[in-house]
Amino acid sequence: MLKECIKGLNIQPSGTYVDVTFGGGGHSRAILNELGPQGRLFVFDQDENAKANLPDDTRVTFIHSNYRHLAKYLRLHKGIPADGILGDFGVSSHQIDTPERGFSIRFEGRLDMRMDPRADLSAWEVINTYSREQLTDLFFKYGEISNARRLAAAIMEAREVAGKIDSTSDLADLARPLSQGKGAKYLAQVFQALRIEVNDEIKAIEEFLIQTPQVLRPGGRLVIMSYHSLEDRPVKNFMKFGVLSGEPEKDLYGRYDCPWKLITRKPIEASEEETADNSRARSARLRIAERI
Ligand SMILES: C[S@@+](CC[C@H](N)C(=O)[O-])C[C@H]1O[C@@H](n2cnc3c(N)ncnc32)[C@H](O)[C@@H]1O
């Protein structure tokens, strides 16, 4: 949905834009194509490897940081007010396809899953040091796994027997018999839950979202692509009501303060053509809002 994202940003040639998930740089390159010589683009990625994809272009500034520190770094680089912010959540195909990063069920690799290789917590620590309760909780909350308790028990038992669980295939072998006929889908849920925990993904999204109104100028656009309901829920709520969860506080007249005008009432989904080429697009939800 590259085209829809770029259209959603409503790019002004001399404007200031922010791509908070630079990754392979595909979206950034499309933004640069629309920007004039005075335009500026700030790109964030917590994975320094993404730097290798930077175009040789003086309009771009790379910020090696988690987007949860959006306002701090934009202030530092004089990037406020911005005219548009783009987020394309999750891991990049490069990260998934690098076996030693440990993101994928498809490859043998040490359990890692850190998007930021400087971070202390890896999937290995989670699987080998978390308590039964912590494991149950994260599989239930982040993987929506119905037999989370049984999975946590199997991990505790394997830890006792083998001493440790080292690799993606160790974990997959252990989880597969519990998949209740769901096969690869179950394993994907297990890996997703771990990845969200390791990278503290939902809190990072929430902290990022609440900074966006102070960073954007009135009329500026927020364009977000999410890939599962845990990511999409806070985005949807925040754009609709100006709060991350629940109902907003209303005044005596039943009105509430929301900094956004919705550009998409319903999320945009990828076309059949795009999902045929790109399986990740199948679960993508694009939401766009404009700062009032
Ligand atoms: C789905 S990829 C983005 C792909 C990109 N839009 C492109 O066109 O190539 C997500 C990227 O965002 C980065 N990322 C994910 N969560 C992040 C966070 N909280 N802070 C900073 N970067 C993050 C990942 O390291 C990854 O490189």
Side-chain angles (χ1 to χ4, degrees):
M1 285 190 279
L2 181 70
K3 260 200 215 133
E4 291 82 352
C5 288
I6 301 303
K7 186 165 169 242
L9 281 170
N10 190 26
I11 294 176
Q12 312 301 310
S14 57
T16 298
Y17 292 85
V18 188
D19 176 355
V20 295
T21 50
F22 177 67
H27 284 90
S28 279
R29 279 189 292 279
I31 295 172
L32 287 167
N33 285 341
E34 304 290 315
L35 273 184
Q38 307 302 322
R40 290 186 306 164
L41 175 64
F42 295 95
V43 302
F44 283 71
D45 206 300
Q46 60 181 333
D47 186 348
E48 202 172 14
N49 296 314
K51 236 176 158 174
N53 306 319
L54 272 178
D56 181 15
D57 192 315
T58 53
R59 296 171 297 174
V60 183
T61 305
F62 181 81
I63 299 170
H64 179 204
S65 162
N66 195 301
Y67 54 58
R68 72 197 321 164
H69 306 301
L70 176 78
K72 180 173 99 179
Y73 283 104
L74 286 185
R75 208 170 294 123
L76 191 75
H77 290 280
K78 304 204 171 6
I80 299 177
D83 297 277
I85 301 176
L86 172 77
D88 175 17
F89 293 157
V91 272
S92 68
S93 46
H94 179 260
Q95 289 165 330
I96 293 180
D97 293 339
T98 307
E100 59 272 24
R101 302 290 298 265
F103 283 106
S104 176
I105 317 159
R106 285 181 291 130
F107 308 112
E108 171 75 12
R110 185 179 155 85
L111 284 169
D112 189 328
M113 299 195 186
R114 288 170 302 169
M115 285 193 224
D116 181 350
R118 301 168 298 184
D120 292 330
L121 186 70
S122 72
W124 193 96
E125 267 82 38
V126 172
I127 289 294
N128 287 287
T129 68
Y130 271 30
S131 68
R132 181 186 302 250
E133 289 68 32
Q134 285 175 301
L135 289 169
T136 306
D137 196 44
L138 82 89
F139 287 127
F140 188 68
K141 219 166 57 185
Y142 297 148
E144 291 164 340
I145 290 171
S146 54
N147 62 354
R149 197 175 293 276
R150 278 185 64 204
L151 176 61
I155 291 170
M156 298 304 284
E157 201 182 306
R159 263 163 49 178
E160 264 170 40
V161 174
K164 58 188 170 25
I165 301 161
D166 261 338
S167 69
T168 47
S169 58
D170 289 347
L171 179 63
D173 290 346
L174 190 155
R176 206 171 282 111
L178 302 176
S179 71
Q180 302 164 311
K182 287 203 241 157
K185 188 160 174 247
Y186 182 80
L187 295 185
Q189 285 172 287
V190 172
F191 275 58
Q192 172 187 292
L194 252 182
R195 199 198 81 196
I196 293 177
E197 174 70 14
V198 166
N199 297 288
D200 197 19
E201 291 180 33
I202 307 306
K203 264 209 219 108
I205 288 174
E206 291 179 349
E207 288 174 22
F208 153 70
L209 286 172
I210 55 171
Q211 294 169 57
T212 54
Q214 71 194 72
V215 161
L216 281 172
R217 75 165 81 247
R221 292 283 179 91
L222 179 62
V223 175
I224 302 288
M225 266 208 284
S226 333
Y227 295 87
H228 53 79
S229 56
L230 294 168
E231 289 175 344
D232 184 49
R233 207 168 295 140
V235 177
K236 176 179 164 183
N237 249 300
F238 193 60
M239 287 185 175
K240 209 163 160 190
F241 301 121
V243 293
L244 293 169
S245 62
E247 286 284 310
E249 233 172 78
K250 292 181 181 151
D251 68 12
L252 283 175
Y253 307 100
R255 294 174 304 203
Y256 57 88
D257 247 353
C258 178
W260 306 109
K261 176 176 114 187
L262 288 179
I263 302 297
T264 49
R265 299 225 144 257
K266 290 219 161 101
I268 302 176
E269 296 179 15
S271 64
E272 266 180 41
E273 204 183 331
E274 190 170 356
T275 54
D277 285 355
N278 171 3
S279 60
R280 191 166 181 260
R282 217 169 293 146
S283 42
R285 302 270 176 284
L286 171 63
R287 294 186 187 271
I288 304 165
E290 186 173 291
R291 177 82 171 93
I292 293 173

